[in-house]
Amino acid sequence: MRFFELKIFALLVFVFWAGPTAHAESAKMFKLTANGDLSKVKGYNWSHRWTQIVPFSARGENLLLFYDRDRGLAKLFSYNEAGGLYRKKSYSGWSKDWDHVIAGQFGEANMIFYNRVNGRLKAFRISETGSMSLQFEQTIENPVDASLISAADPPDGPGGPGWDIVTPGHWSWVNNRTVPGLLFYNRTEGSALFLRYDEAEGHFVFARRYYGWNNSWDEIKAADFNGDQVDDLVLYDQDGGKLKVIYMNEDYSFGSHLFLKDRDEVFAGRTHFPQLVIGNFGGSRLKKDILLYQQDKCLDGQDCIVDEHGRGLLW
């Protein structure tokens, strides 16, 4: 991985931020070259009410699923390299309880919906036309018993029941094929749970459990960073300014690890990078790249101020 520091205007590919005014561009699409050069593709004036915007593909078509949790609404768009968006489907009457919406290929399902309070998980197949079909559903065990949480604690925030972070990935092999799975992480316990998708059972089954993890990880993403066809983990602690890569083996065990830095640290303290994005930004299709994005620039030891030039760190 090579390190680049980027001066960027607002947002990058699939990193979306609500605009401060009704007419401001609230999202932008960019392209990155192997040298870290950035070029804007297109800007958009999107609603700031979308809770999650999830990129995925179906039958070779690039798609974006927009989910508005407060109103139980969703929209599906296709997009092309020129930044053109084409509405495929609008949905209403969706549950307002989904904490995580996760794209991946789990049998015939390509979209996971998970509620952290009751552990309910539903897996759907969303076609390129927008039709949806339920493939399977199950309940994921909670790391913290909901009955033990006091009324003073928020039921859907850190310290509440359920898993704070859910990350898809591939950490095992069967018949020379990688097996999809999910990683669940809970800050309160510092625990992690790996599940793998079992084709014969048609749902997720237990793979491995860990305790004693750091309680401060804000984001965890999975991708193959060393080209061994097993996904590794990148973990980011905003307040501590720590960006850690853990290389994983195909039995869900850990190999070596390293901390990614720019000069001395990843700008710990008041300077945060609230978006962690994984992709082929450096041009290699075998190994993924890591991008940290910061919308507002904060000087060390000072309150954060709005700056029209955001910044990014690319490895």
Side-chain angles (χ1 to χ4, degrees):
M1 286 179 238
R2 292 173 295 171
F3 168 73
F4 300 97
E5 181 172 351
L6 308 173
K7 294 284 187 178
I8 55 184
F9 298 88
L11 301 176
L12 293 148
V13 179
F14 301 138
V15 185
F16 309 105
W17 201 277
T21 66
H23 301 289
E25 286 187 342
S26 54
K28 294 182 182 181
M29 182 180 290
F30 291 87
K31 286 185 178 180
L32 278 159
T33 69
N35 294 322
D37 296 325
L38 191 72
S39 61
K40 178 182 173 182
V41 176
K42 194 169 183 177
Y44 309 93
N45 179 20
W46 288 347
S47 167
H48 65 279
R49 303 189 65 165
W50 299 116
T51 310
Q52 287 187 250
I53 303 174
V54 185
F56 70 108
S57 62
R59 294 186 180 274
E61 192 162 357
N62 294 320
L63 301 167
L64 292 174
L65 178 65
F66 293 69
Y67 172 53
D68 181 344
R69 180 174 181 171
D70 291 336
R71 295 185 294 175
L73 303 176
K75 291 183 180 181
L76 182 69
F77 289 84
S78 65
Y79 67 94
N80 57 31
E81 292 185 355
L85 287 175
Y86 309 93
R87 182 182 299 185
K88 292 284 190 174
K89 187 93 172 181
S90 296
Y91 309 91
S92 60
W94 278 26
S95 170
K96 301 178 182 180
D97 296 331
W98 301 123
D99 296 288
H100 300 279
V101 182
I102 305 143
Q105 197 64 48
F106 310 100
E108 293 298 318
N110 58 4
M111 197 66 64
I112 297 291
F113 297 82
Y114 169 68
N115 178 281
R116 59 170 294 153
V117 176
N118 57 29
R120 183 165 52 109
L121 180 150
K122 287 190 174 184
F124 287 87
R125 172 70 183 176
I126 303 179
S127 74
E128 70 280 7
T129 62
S131 63
M132 294 183 65
S133 57
L134 179 64
Q135 300 299 309
F136 64 92
E137 56 184 308
Q138 65 185 102
T139 299
I140 307 300
E141 63 174 272
N142 275 340
V144 181
D145 189 339
S147 65
L148 301 179
I149 303 300
S150 68
D153 290 328
D156 58 349
W163 302 96
D164 299 292
I165 296 175
V166 184
T167 300
H170 297 78
W171 298 286
S172 63
W173 287 74
V174 172
N175 297 326
N176 295 320
R177 292 190 302 165
T178 56
V179 178
L182 292 175
L183 164 63
F184 294 80
Y185 165 73
N186 178 268
R187 292 188 187 95
T188 303
E189 286 195 338
S191 61
L193 172 68
F194 284 92
L195 302 181
R196 64 176 176 85
Y197 178 75
D198 189 306
E199 287 190 354
E201 297 289 338
H203 57 74
F204 293 105
V205 298
F206 174 82
R208 191 150 183 172
R209 189 189 309 273
Y210 287 95
Y211 295 100
W213 281 28
N214 192 318
N215 299 93
S216 61
W217 299 122
D218 297 292
E219 291 199 62
I220 301 176
K221 299 290 176 67
D224 183 7
F225 299 119
N226 57 5
D228 64 356
Q229 299 184 52
V230 175
D231 281 343
D232 308 299
L233 299 179
V234 55
L235 307 94
Y236 178 50
D237 173 358
Q238 288 190 27
D239 289 334
K242 295 179 181 178
L243 185 65
K244 183 178 183 178
V245 173
I246 299 177
Y247 296 106
M248 296 197 63
N249 304 316
E250 60 182 77
D251 60 353
Y252 301 89
S253 64
F254 299 146
S256 61
H257 71 272
L258 61 91
F259 288 93
L260 297 181
K261 300 180 180 181
D262 52 348
R263 287 179 287 273
D264 297 316
E265 56 188 8
V266 189
F267 300 103
R270 294 179 181 237
T271 301
H272 295 84
F273 291 84
Q275 296 283 355
L276 172 64
V277 186
I278 307 299
N280 292 111
F281 305 126
S284 171
R285 295 189 176 275
L286 296 178
K287 300 179 183 179
K288 297 294 184 179
D289 304 299
I290 300 170
L291 173 68
L292 280 179
Y293 169 73
Q294 176 196 36
Q295 184 187 38
D296 301 324
K297 185 176 180 179
C298 307
L299 300 177
D300 293 340
Q302 299 183 17
D303 289 334
C304 193
I305 60 174
V306 176
D307 187 344
E308 65 177 357
H309 293 77
R311 68 190 311 209
L313 301 176
L314 176 66
W315 287 267

